[in-house]
Amino acid sequence: MSNNELNKENLTIDMMEKIKVGITHGDINGISYEIIIKTLRDNRINELCTPIVYGSPKIAAYHRKALNISNFSFNNIKSPSEANTKRANIINCTEDNTRVELGKSTTMAGNSSYRALELAIADLKENQIDVLLTAPINKQNIQSKKFNFPGHTEFLENMFDVKNVLMLMVSDTLRVGVVAGHVPISRVLTYITTEGILKKLRLLNKTLIEDFAIRKPRIAVFGLNPHASDNGIIGNEEKNIIIPAITKAKEENILAIGPYPADGFFGSQSCSQFDAILAMYHDQGLAPFKALSFDDGVNYTAGLPIIRTSPGHGTAYEIAGKNMASENSFRNALYLALDTFKNRQNYYELQKNAMKTVVEENIERS
């Protein structure tokens, strides 16, 4: 089975069957277990899905004690097939000597983060779980020969052998993607090409249709320069690169509009007129997004053959173990994983039915 076909069989399951959500525990010294436990102790979650945490019962117990949470426990299992559909489940994937050191970046924590991710991805590829929800990692301590990437997004792109993914930040009111993601500012211009922008526009349009169930998405495209260059006064990238990409996108029936100046866009009413925004580089899109939606924003990876979400924040070492972390972003990431899985399932079902109708009509004509 090719990676692009991966999980399509999974997407035709009975809608009444609970979706198995694989949750990687992220950095054990940060707030990951706090936001996981705070989300999963709400029993209503078990009515929506079957949560399966890839982590450590021992470490989970440590965090429960540190947070003084007594009314919650995990169901220990060895594989997703053993999951209790009425409980939050956990699979041990850490070594017995793994230590928690709250608020610290350690090699043990990095190894534990990677091991959870590795096992969850293996189960995804075997259709043992349906979606992936990744708790925050430390991007330094996870680095190794096996993980040599700026973050989850690039690692998953490599693991599923796809050539084009898009980091898409999602909230109730905003969807923001970026052309140049986790790259140094000094290299941003190498990503800002007409074809590079066009590829992201195609992918964004596709995911809005298939994963977000938007029939005819409207996409706002940002300029690169201040004031989108003021008609060439402050640079020529808009005229020479971005506008040609927008023109080609329209020729492909993609409703891309712009380029808009980024500085005033978020503060105006323009946001409400679009289904998504394509920014040119990381901070141009994510800085205003997080200013507006830090507590509830979600990171969604578009372009993968599987569904992957993550909270829109990091490990937050400074408040680890202090019972101060908000679970809102993590909970929203869980909801988004469920919604996009169902939307993609419905989309494939509609496509299959449409193809069946065409075949039947051709048979009748022959």
Side-chain angles (χ1 to χ4, degrees):
M1 181 181 293
S2 71
N3 282 319
N4 287 334
E5 293 171 344
L6 185 65
N7 249 32
K8 285 190 180 180
E9 178 183 350
N10 223 21
L11 293 171
T12 60
I13 64 172
D14 188 334
M15 286 294 285
M16 297 303 292
E17 185 177 334
K18 285 186 181 178
I19 298 169
K20 288 184 177 179
V21 180
I23 300 169
T24 55
H25 69 173
D27 192 294
I28 60 175
N29 297 329
I31 62 169
S32 291
Y33 272 99
E34 180 174 346
I35 58 178
I36 289 171
I37 292 170
K38 284 181 175 179
T39 297
L40 299 185
R41 68 178 174 177
D42 185 342
N43 288 327
R44 291 174 295 182
I45 295 294
N46 299 323
E47 298 173 9
L48 301 175
C49 64
T50 301
I52 301 170
V53 175
Y54 289 78
S56 162
K58 178 182 174 182
I59 293 171
Y62 177 98
H63 280 273
R64 284 203 315 272
K65 184 177 180 180
L67 298 167
N68 196 27
I69 295 175
S70 58
N71 60 341
F72 175 85
S73 64
F74 283 106
N75 176 47
N76 297 344
I77 59 176
K78 293 183 178 179
S79 71
S81 62
E82 300 176 359
N84 186 330
T85 59
K86 297 180 180 180
R87 295 277 305 278
N89 304 274
I90 191 165
I91 297 174
N92 184 35
C93 50
T94 63
E95 296 180 358
D96 291 340
N97 65 344
T98 303
R99 296 193 312 274
V100 177
E101 298 182 61
L102 289 175
K104 295 182 180 180
S105 173
T106 65
T107 300
M108 272 189 178
N111 292 340
S112 180
S113 295
Y114 177 77
R115 182 61 178 154
L117 195 56
E118 181 181 47
L119 291 180
I121 289 174
D123 284 346
L124 263 176
K125 290 185 174 184
E126 294 297 325
N127 288 328
Q128 297 298 305
I129 55 176
D130 300 308
V131 298
L132 178 65
L133 170 50
T134 58
I137 59 172
N138 180 299
K139 295 174 183 178
Q140 285 187 317
N141 67 30
I142 198 175
Q143 295 296 318
S144 68
K145 291 181 179 179
K146 292 182 178 180
F147 192 107
N148 186 21
F149 301 91
H152 278 115
T153 303
E154 296 79 8
F155 176 69
L156 291 166
E157 181 180 24
N158 178 73
M159 289 298 293
F160 288 96
D161 194 26
V162 293
K163 303 301 182 185
N164 185 28
V165 297
L166 176 72
M167 180 169 58
L168 184 65
M169 303 303 295
V170 180
S171 72
D172 287 342
T173 57
L174 288 171
R175 298 182 192 92
V176 181
V178 295
V179 177
H182 293 135
V183 298
I185 285 292
S186 60
R187 293 182 54 206
V188 164
L189 277 178
T190 64
Y191 288 80
I192 307 304
T193 65
T194 297
E195 185 56 31
I197 295 168
L198 187 57
K199 284 182 178 179
K200 298 300 184 185
L201 282 171
R202 288 172 181 148
L203 181 50
L204 180 53
N205 187 68
K206 184 175 187 287
T207 201
L208 291 172
I209 294 170
E210 296 182 9
D211 300 337
F212 291 85
I214 300 170
R215 292 186 62 186
K216 190 64 179 176
R218 287 172 53 88
I219 302 170
V221 182
F222 281 175
L224 174 67
N225 297 297
H227 309 297
S229 85
D230 270 340
N231 293 318
I233 295 175
I234 316 173
N236 56 19
E237 284 82 6
E238 283 73 16
K239 178 182 177 182
N240 295 339
I241 298 171
I242 300 173
I243 291 175
I246 293 172
T247 300
K248 289 183 178 181
K250 288 178 179 177
E251 291 171 357
E252 297 180 15
N253 206 29
I254 297 172
L255 260 180
I257 305 169
Y260 288 96
D263 59 345
F265 191 87
F266 288 93
S268 68
Q269 297 299 312
S270 299
C271 284
S272 62
Q273 299 172 18
F274 293 93
D275 299 297
I277 297 162
L278 184 66
M280 290 298 108
Y281 57 93
H282 186 280
D283 285 10
Q284 186 190 51
L286 270 64
F289 176 89
K290 290 189 175 184
L292 296 170
S293 306
F294 185 81
D295 186 52
D296 58 2
V298 177
N299 184 351
Y300 180 75
T301 307
L304 293 173
I306 53 91
I307 300 295
R308 179 261 171 166
T309 63
S310 181
H313 57 71
T315 57
Y317 285 148
E318 67 278 7
I319 59 171
K322 298 180 180 179
N323 204 9
M324 295 171 59
S326 168
E327 72 274 23
N328 290 345
S329 180
F330 185 86
R331 183 175 56 239
N332 286 347
L334 174 59
Y335 290 156
L336 183 64
L338 300 178
D339 287 344
T340 50
F341 180 87
K342 292 175 182 177
N343 287 339
R344 192 180 289 191
Q345 182 180 34
N346 288 334
Y347 177 82
Y348 283 127
E349 190 66 28
L350 287 171
Q351 293 296 104
K352 185 173 71 174
N353 290 338
M355 188 175 296
K356 181 180 178 182
T357 300
V358 170
V359 171
E360 289 174 348
E361 289 176 351
N362 289 337
I363 291 173
E364 288 178 2
R365 291 194 191 101
S366 61

